[in-house]
Amino acid sequence: MTFLNNILSVARYESKLLKRSWFFKVFSVLSVLLIAGASVLIMQFQKFALSCIPSLAAYNLLLYFNVAQAIVSIFLASEYLKRDKQLDTSEVFYVRPLSNAEYLLGKMWGTIRVFILLNFLVILVALTVCYIYIPEHVSPLSFIMYFFILNVPTLIYIIGLSTLMMLLVKNQALTFVILLGYIGLTLFYVGDKCYYLFDYIGFNIPMLESTITGFADLSSLIVHSVLYLLLG
């Protein structure tokens, strides 16, 4: 219990710091506005497609938000290690019997928790817009499914990778450049090569859900998502 309490204490402190960050506030506001705008455009120009495949709105909106989230989480996940070294913002924990594992896990969970709350806010905004325009062709379950298949594994993997790179490289700018190049490489060059093995964002994987047949290969999607979840 002490192990969990220490992790949750660090996570609560980190969450408060992250919520006060202007960078995260700006990203949150832009995310909500862009998702609302994109939802309106999808409702206006893809009504026929949505009447055939209701999950299309959830897939499009959460997929592109997932790309933006991956890029921003690189910066914020590496920021707390840099901030601790420069400003000693975690002196409150250094006087306690806290292991390095508890400290890092708490920092990571605090960051993940705030991003999950932002994901729920984005989903709520998207669902609200969809219900206003075409309530008969909205699939709330699709938003939940894509959240767990797309957003959660990508978020945990990127935050874990960013923390590891920051500990190895010890330079935030270099870490950001390396991981941004990694994202660009997997998005635009690797793509669907190697049977989508390196597509941790899910940008190229066939993932559209049919109301009749469901996913084309749900078991493979779950294996792929769990792979990156565990790697993270």
Side-chain angles (χ1 to χ4, degrees), residues 54-55 57-59 62 116 119-124 126-127 131 138-153 207 209 215 218 225:
S55 65
Y59 177 59
L62 293 186
I116 287 177
N119 273 266
F120 282 138
L121 179 60
V122 164
I123 290 172
L124 181 62
L127 277 173
Y131 271 115
V138 180
S139 176
L141 184 60
S142 297
F143 281 89
I144 302 301
M145 292 180 68
Y146 285 121
F147 167 71
F148 283 107
I149 294 175
L150 274 174
N151 297 45
V152 171
M207 209 176 285
E209 180 200 15
F215 290 100
L218 182 58
S225 299

Side-chain angles (χ1 to χ4, degrees), residues 155-179:
L155 179 63
I156 292 177
Y157 173 67
I158 287 295
I159 289 179
L161 183 62
S162 301
T163 304
L164 176 63
M165 288 296 296
M166 188 64 182
L167 291 171
L168 293 176
V169 177
K170 302 185 185 303
N171 185 288
Q172 188 189 23
L174 187 57
T175 298
F176 189 72
V177 170
I178 292 173
L179 292 182

Side-chain angles (χ1 to χ4, degrees), residues 2-73:
T2 304
F3 180 77
L4 288 177
N5 286 334
N6 288 338
I7 291 175
L8 293 176
S9 297
V10 178
R12 185 163 52 251
Y13 185 76
E14 182 62 28
S15 296
K16 289 181 180 180
L17 286 175
L18 189 56
K19 289 175 184 176
R20 295 170 185 170
S21 165
W22 279 105
F23 186 81
F24 183 76
K25 288 178 181 178
V26 170
F27 173 67
S28 301
V29 172
L30 286 177
S31 296
V32 170
L33 292 177
L34 289 175
I35 287 294
S39 301
V40 172
L41 291 176
I42 289 174
M43 297 303 108
Q44 290 287 347
F45 297 106
Q46 294 187 345
K47 282 187 178 180
F48 178 74
L50 286 170
S51 64
C52 301
I53 309 177
S55 65
L56 182 64
Y59 177 59
N60 283 337
L61 293 172
L62 293 186
L63 178 61
Y64 287 104
F65 175 72
N66 199 34
V67 177
Q69 174 181 253
I71 295 172
V72 173
S73 61

